[in-house]
Every structure is written in C-alpha cells, then in structure tokens.
C-alpha cells in the first residue's frame, strides 16, 4: 500500500476525535477477530494442481480474479434479496399517484432537470459511491483539522492573525464580501504560483545565496488535486476520520434531542408554555430594540470569547471555576425556574367538553306499528340527500354500539333525550315533518297522500284511518286511476308543524334526538 500521496487532500495529522457527552454511551470496540489460518504450501499446490484445465488461474493474480468473480456473484445474490425486502420508492402510503410522481420516477431523468437521475438503492452502486466518496472527502477533514488547530492555539501567531481579521470584519462589515476574494487570492492562487515557480534549490553559502525570483519559465508542473488511491494509507485515514465524524454527529444529535425536545414538545406543558411566553417576549423586545443594539460590539465580543475559551490555560481555569461556582448553583437555578413555572403558569385542568348527538329512527310497519330501526348520525328527514337518492339510513342497531368520536371519551354515563325537538328541527331547516312538543318528542314525517297512493312510502291501513281521511284517500285513488283532471292544482308538500293528535295520519319514518357529553381523551406520553 502507498504510504503517501502528495497530490491528495488527506488529514495526516491526529485523527478526528470523537465527542463523548454527558449521558451518552461511547461506542464499544468490536471484539478482536481471530487471524485466519494460512494454508500450507502443499495445500495450495494441491489446489493449483486440481484445476489443470485453467492455467491462467495459477498464482496470486489468478486467485485474486477468482475471488473477485465470487464477490460479484455474492453481490448479485444480495441485490436480489434486497429487491425482495426493500420496497420500491414509488409505492406511497396511500397508493395515490400524481402526474408529478409519474413524471419523476426513480431512475428516470426528469424533464424539468435534464441529466438528473434518481436511481433506487443498489448494493454495488452504494459500494462504489462510498469508495469514491471516501477517496475525495479528505479536503473536509483537512479543513476541520486546521480549524481545530486554529481555535486550540497550536500556533498563537495564526490564531492572533485570525482574531485581527475577524476584528476588522466586525468593525467594518463592508469588508465581508472582500473576505472570500482574499482567501481565493492568498490561499489558492499564490500557493499554486509558488508551486509552479518554486525557489531554485542551491547549496551556496549565505553570501552567494540569492532570493526568490518569479521570473523565467515554470520549473515544476501545476498542482493537480486527485483522489487518493484505494487501499492506500491515506484511504484508510479518510475512513478513520469519517468513522469518528459519524460518531461526533450521533453524539451531537442525541445531545440536542435530550436538551431541546423535552422542553419544546409540550410533554411538560407548564415548562413549554413558560418557554413559549419567554420566546414571545424576546421576539417583542427584538422587534423593538434590534435597531439600537450594538451588533458590531456584540459579534466582536462573542468571537473573541469563543476563541479565547479554546486556549489550554484558560480551559483549565474555566473548568475549575465551573466546578467551584457554577455547578453548585445549577440546582438552585433549576429549582427557581420550576417554582416560577409552577406559580405563574396556569393550565386548564378540566378537559374540553362537547355535546354529541344521535338520532333514533323508527319505521312504520305494514301493521301500523312503529318498529325500532337503527341509531343514525343523520335525522334522515324527507329532503335529505340520502332520502332523495333512495339510500337506506346508515347507523347501528343498538345504543351500546354507538362510540364517541376519535380522540374523545364519554363524560356522562347515559344518553339524554333532547326535549327541545322544535329547536333542532329549525336549526337544520327541516321541512315536511311534524314535531311532537310533548310526550316522547318524536318528529314524524307528514303523511303524503300522493306517495301513499303510488304505494311508495307508508302502507295505508284503512282500519286506523278516520272516515274523512279515508274518503279523501279513496277519492284520490279514483282520480289517479281515471287520470288527472285538467286544471287540478298540484299537491304541495307541507312544511313542519306541531301536533298532538294521535289520530292524525303520519308518514313512514319518525326520529328523535339523543345527546351525550364527551371530553377530550388524555393521551399519555409514549414511553421511550
């Protein structure tokens, strides 16, 4: 393996450290692997002699090619297994597909962005992309190592130079657009020119030595940035730093989750409400006073403070001061905050309540008796959409099968009959019904003679019909049998009316309204 690649970005300094935060578990090293036993020369010789028909497979190169062929077969087998396990990307949760989804299928270039592909997961592609990524990620680790060296005061002159530049930018923010141009000029172009025109090496004495001269033709080839070679030492350095960076990100992610989520997800409603009030007050203050705050001085002080904290001598003193002064006061400050939250933040103790309704429907049988039909969420009035379309009412047969809405629970043990039947009829603007204001508060369909004559609706029972109504029904039947007379006024459906006469003819359906109180269901916090 190559030990050094001069034209590659690789962090050849100390490895990128992993951060172990309070309350986190550092990764455990894997158990040591046993070294495989090396086959004896006689066994290798017997293996080579056992395949005389393939002379090209002799030696180390032949065994390496056979190993690669076997690896390809294993990759194909694993890909087929993953294709059976991993669902395709175009399968949505609800099965809905939009024209945009059809136009941008995985693996197909989008018409709006030519040349862009979105291939599905593939083990071989993943392996190739990881090797290519690891061979080129060194520039990120080099930048990270240099920033850490700068902030840790490894070279105080470099850190002080950085603070001087930062001070100029803070005092004069108009220099900020100049910063990337200066970095490109001093950090990229000047080193590239010096590498192209290096100083002439000479072994002369100090009296005969000459200074650097940029004149003349280039003496060295231009700098080329190339990825590191696979299986080289730099390649494994990048893998080492990538491994440690992944651990750092995991630790930082878990620390942010532990710090932010319990205080912002309303698991403790009093604490989150107090935080909401504090942030709202901060927003009001910043909207008023942001134009008078000395932002240059603030950023200058913060930058100097963060940089000075990284000094080794100051870090030890800050650590001792934290253990001596700050740490004992943390519990006291936390108790003060909890006391303030408990005394000033008042939450609604009683859950929200609502009233739900259900309609008991009964149908008139052919024998003239009312049969219990079902309990429905709709009154199934004569002009309802389902009634006009000829659909049967939807609901349940028994009271016990009526369930509260999702996310709610019953706050009362029993249903209560709504005694104000006239009000809910007027609220829904229901017509063609008769309201019972006393007794069981039924709301009846008004008897429709035309529909009864056409044998659509209620079956006529002449034994329970008053003489006048029976005569009117018989006359209407005779007229329908002979044909409608010219100039006869059409029958109009009456509106709702109040009635208490039990002998009045009524329609096919009757309903009454039951109500019951529900409250919000308390959802306990899911255990982690």
């Amino acid at each position: 393996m190559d030990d050094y690649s001069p034209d590659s970005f690789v962090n050849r300094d100390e490895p990128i450290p992993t951060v172990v935060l309070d309350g986190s578990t550092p990764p455990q090293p894997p158990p040591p692997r046993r070294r495989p036993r090396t086959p004896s020369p006689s066994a290798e010789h017997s293996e080579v002699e056992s395949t005389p028909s393939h002379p090209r497979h002799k030696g180390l190169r032949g065994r390496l090619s056979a190993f690669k062929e076997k690896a390809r077969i294993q990759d194909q087998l694993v890909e087929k297994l993953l294709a059976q396990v991993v669902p395709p990307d175009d399968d949505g949760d609800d099965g809905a597909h939009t024209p945009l989804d059809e136009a941008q299928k995985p693996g197909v270039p989008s018409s709006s962005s030519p040349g862009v592909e979105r291939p599905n997961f593939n083990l071989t592609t993943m392996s190739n992309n990881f090797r290519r990524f690891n061979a080129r990620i060194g520039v990120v680790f080099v930048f990270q190592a240099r920033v850490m060296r700068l902030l840790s005061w490894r070279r105080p002159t470099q850190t002080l130079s950085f603070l001087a530049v930062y001070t100029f930018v803070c005092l004069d923010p108009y220099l900020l657009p100049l910063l990337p141009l200066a970095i490109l000029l001093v950090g990229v172009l000047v080193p590239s020119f010096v590498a192209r025109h290096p100083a002439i090496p000479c072994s002369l004495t100090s009296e005969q030595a000459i200074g650097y001269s940029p004149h003349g033709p280039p003496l060295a080839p231009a700098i080329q940035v190339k990825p590191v070679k696979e299986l080289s030492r730099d390649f494994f350095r990048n893998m080492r730093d990538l491994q440690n960076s992944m651990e750092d990100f995991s630790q930082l992610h878990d620390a942010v989750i532990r710090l932010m989520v319990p205080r912002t997800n309303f698991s403790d409603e009093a604490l989150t409400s107090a935080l909401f009030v504090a942030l709202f007050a901060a927003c009001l203050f910043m909207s008023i006073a942001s134009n008078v705050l000395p932002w240059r001085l603030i950023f200058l002080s913060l930058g100097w403070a963060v940089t000075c904290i990284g000094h080794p001598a100051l870090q030890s003193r800050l650590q001792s001061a934290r253990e001596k002064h700050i740490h004992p006061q943390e519990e006291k400050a936390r108790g003060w905050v909890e006391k303030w939250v408990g005394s000033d933040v008042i939450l609604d103790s009683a859950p929200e309540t609502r009233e739900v309704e259900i309609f008991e429907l009964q149908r008139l049988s052919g024998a003239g008796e009312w049969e219990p039909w079902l309990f429905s969420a709709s009154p199934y009035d004569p002009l309802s959409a389902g009634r006009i379309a000829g659909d049967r009412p939807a609901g349940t047969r028994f009271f016990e099968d009526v369930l509260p809405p999702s996310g709610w629970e019953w706050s009362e043990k029993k249903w209560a009959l709504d005694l104000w039947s006239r009000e809910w009829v007027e609220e829904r603007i229901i017509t063609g019904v008769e309201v019972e204001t006393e007794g069981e508060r039924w709301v009846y369909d008004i008897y429709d003679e035309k529909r009864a004559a056409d044998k659509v609706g209620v079956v006529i029972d002449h034994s329970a019909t008053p003489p006048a109504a029976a005569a009117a029904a018989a006359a209407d039947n005779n007229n329908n049998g002979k044909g409608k007379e010219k100039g006869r006024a059409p029958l109009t459906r009456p509106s709702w009316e109040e009635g208490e006469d039990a002998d009045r003819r009524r329609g096919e359906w009757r309903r009454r309204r039951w109500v019951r109180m529900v409250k919000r269901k308390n959802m306990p916090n899911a255990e982690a």
Side-chain angles (χ1 to χ4, degrees):
M1 295 186 296
D2 297 335
D3 294 339
Y4 184 76
S5 297
D7 50 358
S8 302
F9 283 103
V10 179
N11 177 28
R12 299 186 181 90
D13 296 334
E14 297 178 0
I16 300 298
T18 58
V19 180
V20 179
L21 302 174
D22 296 338
S24 61
T25 304
Q28 300 294 333
R33 299 179 59 183
R34 295 182 178 179
R35 186 175 182 179
R37 298 174 58 186
T38 57
S40 61
S42 60
E44 294 182 0
H45 183 68
S46 62
E47 290 178 0
V48 174
E49 291 180 352
S50 62
T51 57
S53 59
H54 300 279
R56 69 178 63 180
H57 288 177
K58 296 180 180 180
L60 180 61
R61 181 173 299 179
R63 288 195 297 271
L64 184 59
S65 62
F67 176 76
K68 290 182 178 179
E69 187 67 24
K70 186 181 296 184
R72 292 193 190 99
I73 297 175
Q74 292 177 354
D75 291 344
Q76 293 177 1
L77 179 60
V78 173
E79 287 177 10
K80 291 183 179 180
L81 292 176
L82 289 175
Q84 298 294 330
V85 175
V86 179
D89 293 341
D90 55 351
D91 290 345
D93 295 338
D94 53 356
H97 298 279
T98 61
L100 182 60
D101 297 334
E102 295 293 335
Q104 296 183 355
K105 291 184 178 180
V108 180
S110 173
S111 58
S112 60
S113 55
V116 178
E117 295 184 358
R118 297 174 176 85
N120 290 326
F121 174 77
N122 184 276
L123 188 61
T124 305
T125 305
M126 180 68 183
S127 177
N128 294 334
N129 290 346
F130 176 77
R131 291 198 300 269
R132 295 175 63 249
F133 173 79
N134 188 74
R136 293 161 175 81
I137 194 61
V139 62
V140 177
F141 299 136
V142 169
F143 176 77
Q144 183 179 354
R146 291 184 178 180
V147 170
M148 293 175 60
R149 188 186 304 114
L150 185 69
L151 297 179
S152 60
W153 295 78
R154 296 286 182 87
R155 295 183 179 179
T157 55
Q158 294 182 356
T159 307
L160 291 175
S161 300
F162 164 74
L163 287 176
V165 174
Y166 180 78
T167 302
F168 278 114
V169 173
C170 288
L171 296 179
D172 192 0
Y174 298 103
L175 295 176
L176 189 60
L178 176 63
L179 193 60
L181 301 178
I183 293 175
L184 181 63
L185 181 65
V186 179
V188 178
L189 295 181
V190 172
S192 299
F193 181 82
V194 172
R196 188 81 164 126
H197 299 268
I200 300 176
C202 61
S203 58
L204 302 178
T205 61
S206 59
E207 296 179 356
Q208 297 175 344
I210 58 176
Y212 174 76
S213 177
H215 302 289
L219 303 177
I223 297 178
Q224 300 292 335
V225 180
K226 299 179 181 179
V228 300
K229 297 180 180 180
E230 294 186 8
L231 303 181
S232 64
R233 181 169 297 180
D234 292 338
F235 187 82
F236 285 101
R237 287 193 180 105
N238 287 345
M239 292 187 67
R240 173 201 65 190
D241 293 338
L242 183 61
Q243 160 196 295
N244 297 344
S245 298
M246 290 189 295
E247 176 61 21
D248 289 341
F249 176 80
S250 301
Q251 295 284 350
L252 181 62
H253 175 272
D254 295 342
V256 171
I257 293 300
R258 289 194 304 269
L259 178 65
M260 297 297 296
V261 172
R263 295 167 175 81
T264 57
N265 63 354
F266 284 89
S267 57
D268 186 354
E269 291 194 6
L271 179 60
T272 309
S273 300
L275 180 62
F276 178 84
V277 173
L279 290 177
F280 184 76
C283 291
L284 292 179
F285 174 77
M286 293 301 296
S287 63
I288 298 173
S290 60
N291 60 336
V292 298
L293 292 178
W295 292 110
R296 298 181 182 181
L297 183 60
I298 291 174
F299 279 100
L300 180 61
S301 303
L302 289 178
W304 273 81
V306 171
T307 307
C308 292
I309 285 175
H311 197 279
L314 191 58
Q315 278 188 347
S316 59
R317 294 184 179 180
L318 290 176
Q319 184 67 23
S320 60
R322 180 180 181 275
E323 295 293 337
K324 184 178 180 180
H325 300 286
I326 300 178
H327 186 69
Q329 303 297 329
E330 289 182 356
E331 294 296 333
K332 184 183 296 185
R334 188 179 295 107
W336 180 83
V337 171
E338 292 177 355
K339 181 179 179 181
W340 174 74
V341 169
S343 60
D344 290 1
V345 179
I346 301 176
L347 301 176
D348 294 334
S349 58
E352 180 184 2
T353 58
R354 296 287 180 88
E355 184 184 72
V356 295
E357 62 181 10
I358 197 72
F359 293 92
E360 180 185 0
L361 302 182
Q362 291 187 0
R363 189 175 185 180
L364 187 63
S365 65
E369 298 179 356
W370 292 102
E371 297 179 349
W373 197 255
L374 50 77
F375 295 90
S376 175
S378 171
Y380 200 63
D381 57 281
L383 295 182
S384 62
R387 186 81 172 269
I388 295 175
D391 299 333
R392 298 173 63 87
T396 180
R397 293 289 303 275
F398 304 102
F399 242 146
E400 294 78 9
D401 296 335
V402 180
L403 301 178
S406 178
W408 299 76
E409 60 183 0
W410 301 119
S411 63
E412 295 180 347
K413 295 183 178 180
K414 296 182 180 180
W415 290 87
L417 179 63
D418 187 5
L419 302 179
W420 304 95
S421 54
R422 176 177 176 178
E423 291 186 359
W424 65 263
V425 170
E426 291 179 347
E427 289 177 358
R428 287 170 170 80
I429 317 178
I430 297 177
T431 59
V433 294
E434 177 185 342
V435 180
E436 191 177 57
T437 56
E438 294 183 359
E440 297 181 349
R441 267 60 173 185
W442 290 102
V443 177
Y444 298 86
D445 290 350
I446 294 180
Y447 179 73
D448 190 354
E449 297 180 353
K450 182 177 182 301
R451 177 171 296 184
D454 294 338
K455 297 182 179 181
V456 178
V458 180
V459 178
I460 301 176
D461 187 3
H462 295 283
S463 61
T465 306
D476 189 38
N477 290 334
N478 294 332
N479 292 333
N480 290 333
K482 298 179 181 180
K484 295 182 179 180
E485 298 179 357
K486 295 182 180 180
R488 181 182 178 184
L491 295 175
T492 58
R493 182 182 298 275
S495 179
W496 71 271
E497 58 185 22
E498 297 180 1
E500 302 176 1
D501 188 5
D503 295 334
R504 178 186 290 273
R505 295 289 302 276
R506 288 172 175 139
E508 182 182 7
W509 294 91
R510 71 175 183 178
R511 76 282 297 157
R512 57 181 175 179
R513 182 173 179 261
W514 296 82
V515 294
R516 192 174 180 180
M517 299 300 295
V518 293
K519 62 181 179 180
R520 282 284 189 182
K521 185 184 297 184
N522 184 18
M523 304 298 293
N525 296 328
E527 297 181 358

